[in-house]
Amino acid sequence: MNQDNCKLLMKFSSTTPQVVVSNQNEDTHRRQRPFKQQDFNTVYQYSKLNKTGVLQKISNKGSKCCESPCNLLLSIFPIFQWLPKYNWRSDFSKDVVSGLTVGILHIPQGMAYSSLGGVPPITGLYMAFFPVLLYVLMGTSRHISMGTFAVVCMMTSKPVFKYATFPSSDHTTEDTAGLTPVQVASAVCLIVGIWQILFGIFRLGSLSVLMSETLVSGFTTGAAILVLTSQVKHLFGIPLKTRVGSLKVVYTYRDLFNNIHLTNFWTLGMGLIVASLLYFYQQVIKPRVSKRIPVPIPTELIAIISGTLLSKHLNLPSTYGIKIVGDIPLGLPDPSPPPVWLLPNLVIDGLVIAIVAFSVNISMAFIFARKLKYDVDPNQELIASGCSNIFASFFSCIPFAASLSRSVIQQTVGGKTQLASVVSCSFLILILLFIGPFFEDLPYCVLAAIVLVSMTGLLVQFKDLFTIFGQSKSDGLIWFTTFISVVLLDIDYGLVIGVVISLVCVIIKSQKVIVSILGNIPETDMYVELERYEAAVQVPETMILQLTGGLNFANIDSSVQKIIKKINNFKRFNKVQNVVLNMASVSYIDRVSTIGLLNLTKELKGEGIFMYLASVSDAVGSTLDKCGFFKEFSETYVSPSVHDAILFIQLSSQ
């Protein structure tokens, strides 16, 4: 401490509080002289912090990156931060085993989930290859498995069925410009990538907070109903018209019951047998086998291979009318730009998908990062996902996202880094180059069975509703409203409604300001609620009120009325000359609220009651100062703590 500060401290030593420390038998102490807020700030050298705006943060980050090409490279491609430190001896073998295991899972899940988007099943294998290659270079999570995700694929189906022209007559389109489903899906992939890059540039990585755990649970459960509904035609073998828009679930099941006599029982039987076997393995055998065998058995892949062989050797399509996947091209697709002119029609769909996909990605990334103790950058994740989607849109892909099941397996099998994804891609390239056409005879009902069983995990979330309602009525309302909106209206409307309901609930809760009467614990400087602590006593002729919540234009009138009501009720039995407002729990105040507090001060002064403020935070105090509050309210009546305010009142009355 320099000489000037020492002199300043000595100057206030005669008037500042003298702390009396209790002896060993006491656990409390009490200061005898008060601090005023101005003196407190001066003695302890208070200074204001300079706030940095969003644009300034972006500029600062860009300047740091531009100062060194190396920093720029590491910022864009985080792989170069951890790859030089990679332990090739101990970790590479684990990444190879993990990558091969996940690569095997990519085949059934990719083919099943991509068909939800209205595109050929082979697209799912493209999605596990092209975008993942770029994500490995740019992503910050080491364990999430990117590729097909059922909900995102289902969301993509809306614009695909709306704008694409299908060769079959069971689809209706709004635009007959001759676009194929893959072209529309790749355009959706492009617009999703653009949105995600924009979010990343403007540092909106915290955007996922809009989707609370309760909202996500209701949303994904509703999406699971839509996914299952989209598969009933494949399961029953009935050529139903694909419904788009609101109430499509109702219309689809109405069409199903009206055409139930057209059911192909061979298709239904095969689908139910596959689903039953997969479900039995998942619920009964897998928990026992997983304890002995660390590598999961690829039951879905076994089902696909078995279904393909049966279909081929028994000639199921021509003999029993079972619908199969059909033509699967050998090799990789040629790069082709998506129809850019369609992008203006896809802006809203792309925005919703971008938010959902990112929320899924970052949620899983944080789970593994916390568990394994490394950092994940949400903004870099946005940029990585955006660039990967844009790159993949030139190779017949639809928007990709992380899969929880594959990610968990990738980590539990022993995967250490994203090199496991490189191994998966290497494995899949062999499938695409040499084995792809083998799956041409795969029955669609087998894929439908795989989707059916994979959705059981989401449908189990129904039981969460009763638990959530018991814990919080507002959270229960959010869950139920989101679920119903997704099922009846559509997946994007449901998400928007869920977010709006969540924000409304937050706003309603934020409008509630709690006003509590505090009392003093004798021989201490502690002040607690009188109604809750019997040992607390009322300070003579002084009423201490604690405000909890944010003060704004919407609640200031009701808050003032609560304060006045508390004072009037208290005045019936006690003399009140001073009111201390404990502002420690006031997180926010606006201009209208400062006027309301000034009016309250004047009203109380007219009744002979003086008002004091205590524990005013820097943010609240700064707002009060900017709004001219202290031009009419003397800063002498502002104290750094409730105890200082009480001591000041007691000294002033002497």
Side-chain angles (χ1 to χ4, degrees):
M1 183 179 292
N2 58 37
Q3 186 175 2
D4 292 338
N5 288 333
C6 290
K7 292 180 179 178
L8 185 62
L9 188 58
M10 292 176 63
K11 175 182 177 181
F12 283 99
S13 61
S14 59
T15 57
T16 52
Q18 304 298 313
V19 179
V20 179
V21 182
S22 62
N23 58 36
Q24 293 181 350
N25 295 325
E26 295 176 339
D27 59 357
T28 60
H29 64 270
R30 185 181 180 94
R31 287 193 286 106
Q32 303 301 315
R33 302 180 72 87
F35 253 136
K36 289 183 285 187
Q37 186 70 52
Q38 290 176 314
D39 298 342
F40 184 87
N41 292 348
T42 303
V43 170
Y44 295 109
Q45 305 173 35
Y46 169 82
S47 61
K48 291 185 177 180
L49 297 176
N50 294 323
K51 295 183 178 180
T52 306
V54 175
L55 294 178
Q56 185 63 36
K57 289 181 181 179
I58 297 173
S59 176
N60 292 342
K61 185 174 179 64
S63 299
K64 291 180 181 179
C65 292
C66 293
E67 288 176 2
S68 170
C70 183
N71 290 341
L72 179 62
L73 181 66
L74 294 177
S75 177
I76 298 177
F77 300 105
I79 187 174
F80 295 114
Q81 296 181 15
W82 57 263
L83 189 59
K85 307 173 187 176
Y86 185 74
N87 192 332
W88 292 92
R89 285 188 177 182
S90 62
D91 293 345
F92 184 65
S93 59
K94 298 176 182 178
D95 279 335
V96 169
V97 173
S98 176
L100 289 175
T101 305
V102 173
I104 292 172
L105 291 175
H106 268 298
I107 299 173
Q109 290 190 3
M111 298 184 73
Y113 294 163
S114 62
S115 63
L116 297 174
V119 295
I122 192 64
T123 303
L125 301 187
Y126 298 155
M127 293 170 61
F129 178 75
F130 289 105
V132 174
L133 283 178
L134 197 56
Y135 178 81
V136 169
L137 299 175
M138 303 183 68
T140 58
S141 175
R142 303 175 193 173
H143 296 90
I144 58 176
S145 174
M146 307 297 272
T148 52
F149 180 63
V151 174
V152 171
C153 292
M154 186 69 201
M155 296 177 73
T156 306
S157 68
K158 179 184 176 182
V160 169
F161 289 136
K162 187 175 182 180
Y163 296 109
T165 300
F166 288 81
S168 59
S169 59
D170 62 335
H171 299 281
T172 59
T173 60
E174 185 175 299
D175 194 317
T176 58
L179 294 175
T180 65
V182 171
Q183 286 178 312
V184 177
S186 62
V188 176
C189 190
L190 177 60
I191 193 66
V192 168
I194 293 173
W195 273 119
Q196 289 177 334
I197 287 180
L198 289 175
F199 292 155
I201 291 174
F202 288 100
R203 320 296 292 169
L204 298 178
S206 59
L207 196 65
S208 60
V209 299
L210 294 176
M211 297 185 66
S212 65
E213 183 180 347
T214 302
L215 186 149
V216 170
S217 177
F219 174 77
T220 52
T221 307
I225 298 295
L226 296 184
V227 169
L228 294 179
T229 301
S230 70
Q231 297 302 296
V232 294
K233 63 180 181 181
H234 298 309
L235 195 61
F236 284 83
I238 302 175
L240 298 177
K241 179 186 294 185
T242 300
R243 297 288 184 173
V244 179
S246 300
L247 299 178
K248 63 182 178 183
V249 171
V250 177
Y251 292 136
T252 298
Y253 284 109
R254 186 195 65 180
D255 294 344
L256 175 65
F257 293 130
N258 289 340
N259 296 278
I260 198 70
H261 60 282
L262 300 177
T263 299
N264 185 324
F265 289 99
W266 292 101
T267 298
L268 180 61
M270 187 175 188
L272 291 179
I273 290 173
V274 173
S276 300
L277 291 175
L278 291 176
Y279 186 77
F280 180 77
Y281 170 80
Q282 186 182 85
Q283 299 297 321
V284 180
I285 300 177
K286 184 178 179 180
R288 301 177 182 178
V289 173
S290 59
K291 297 178 181 179
R292 301 179 181 179
I293 305 176
V295 179
I297 299 174
T299 50
E300 292 91 349
L301 182 60
I302 294 173
I304 283 182
I305 294 175
S306 302
T308 302
L309 292 174
L310 284 174
S311 176
K312 183 177 293 186
H313 292 291
L314 298 180
N315 200 16
L316 297 182
S318 58
T319 305
Y320 302 104
I322 295 178
K323 187 178 179 182
I324 60 174
V325 169
D327 180 57
I328 293 180
L330 189 65
L332 300 175
D334 295 327
S336 176
V340 179
W341 59 267
L342 187 62
L343 295 186
N345 298 331
L346 304 174
V347 170
I348 302 301
D349 293 308
L351 173 62
V352 177
I353 295 173
I355 295 174
V356 172
F358 171 68
S359 298
V360 171
N361 296 348
I362 201 63
S363 298
M364 291 190 216
F366 277 138
I367 289 173
F368 292 108
R370 284 192 293 265
K371 179 180 179 181
L372 301 169
K373 298 180 181 180
Y374 64 90
D375 295 327
V376 170
D377 184 351
N379 297 306
Q380 178 61 25
E381 284 294 305
L382 277 167
I383 294 175
S385 297
C387 291
S388 300
N389 272 314
I390 292 176
F391 175 70
S393 69
F394 288 83
F395 293 93
S396 305
C397 291
I398 65 179
F400 79 129
S403 164
L404 178 59
S405 60
R406 292 196 307 269
S407 300
V408 170
I409 290 173
Q410 179 167 314
Q411 190 270 324
T412 54
V413 170
K416 297 295 183 181
T417 67
Q418 282 295 338
L419 286 184
S421 297
V422 176
V423 175
S424 296
C425 291
S426 303
F427 172 77
L428 290 171
I429 195 69
L430 297 177
I431 301 295
L432 291 169
L433 291 177
F434 303 107
I435 309 176
F438 168 78
F439 298 106
E440 289 181 349
D441 292 304
L442 173 63
Y444 263 111
C445 60
V446 174
L447 294 178
I450 293 173
V451 172
L452 177 67
V453 175
S454 67
M455 290 297 106
T456 55
L458 296 179
L459 294 176
V460 170
Q461 294 179 142
F462 266 117
K463 66 181 182 181
D464 294 345
L465 177 60
F466 304 102
T467 303
I468 292 171
F469 257 120
Q471 296 172 345
S472 171
K473 297 295 188 293
S474 60
D475 284 347
L477 175 65
I478 293 169
W479 195 102
F480 184 74
T481 304
T482 304
F483 170 77
I484 289 296
S485 301
V486 169
V487 173
L488 295 182
L489 299 180
D490 212 341
I491 200 163
D492 50 354
Y493 291 120
L495 177 63
V496 173
I497 291 174
V499 170
V500 170
I501 294 295
S502 298
L503 293 177
V504 168
C505 289
V506 170
I507 292 172
I508 291 175
K509 289 180 180 179
S510 68
Q511 300 312 304
K512 185 178 180 180
V513 176
I514 301 174
V515 181
S516 309
I517 303 176
L518 303 185
N520 176 244
I521 301 294
E523 302 303 322
T524 73
D525 58 0
M526 297 169 58
Y527 296 83
V528 295
E529 292 186 38
L530 276 174
E531 295 180 355
R532 297 179 184 273
Y533 294 87
E534 294 183 5
V537 297
Q538 170 67 29
V539 178
E541 301 183 355
T542 300
M543 189 174 186
I544 308 169
L545 296 176
Q546 176 173 278
L547 306 185
T548 304
L551 293 174
N552 54 61
F553 68 93
N555 64 21
I556 185 61
D557 290 338
S558 61
S559 301
V560 168
Q561 291 302 317
K562 288 180 181 179
I563 293 172
I564 293 175
K565 185 177 180 181
K566 292 275 187 184
I567 295 173
N568 290 337
N569 290 338
F570 202 77
K571 284 167 62 178
R572 296 177 183 176
F573 310 100
N574 302 273
K575 183 180 179 181
V576 179
Q577 289 187 338
N578 307 286
V579 171
V580 177
L581 294 186
N582 181 12
M583 306 284 284
S585 299
V586 176
S587 57
Y588 169 80
I589 191 170
D590 63 5
R591 190 185 68 84
V592 177
S593 299
T594 62
I595 298 174
L597 285 181
L598 282 174
N599 291 337
L600 174 63
T601 302
K602 295 173 183 177
E603 183 175 345
L604 293 178
K605 192 173 182 179
E607 299 177 8
I609 300 174
F610 295 94
M611 192 174 85
Y612 299 80
L613 300 183
S615 302
V616 180
S617 68
D618 184 53
V620 173
S622 177
T623 303
L624 291 174
D625 187 33
K626 290 178 182 178
C627 295
F629 180 82
F630 296 116
K631 292 180 180 178
E632 300 184 46
F633 187 92
S634 175
E635 292 189 62
T636 305
Y637 295 96
V638 182
S639 301
S641 71
V642 173
H643 190 58
D644 283 296
I646 298 301
L647 292 179
F648 179 77
I649 292 171
Q650 291 174 347
L651 290 176
S652 299
S653 61
Q654 292 177 0

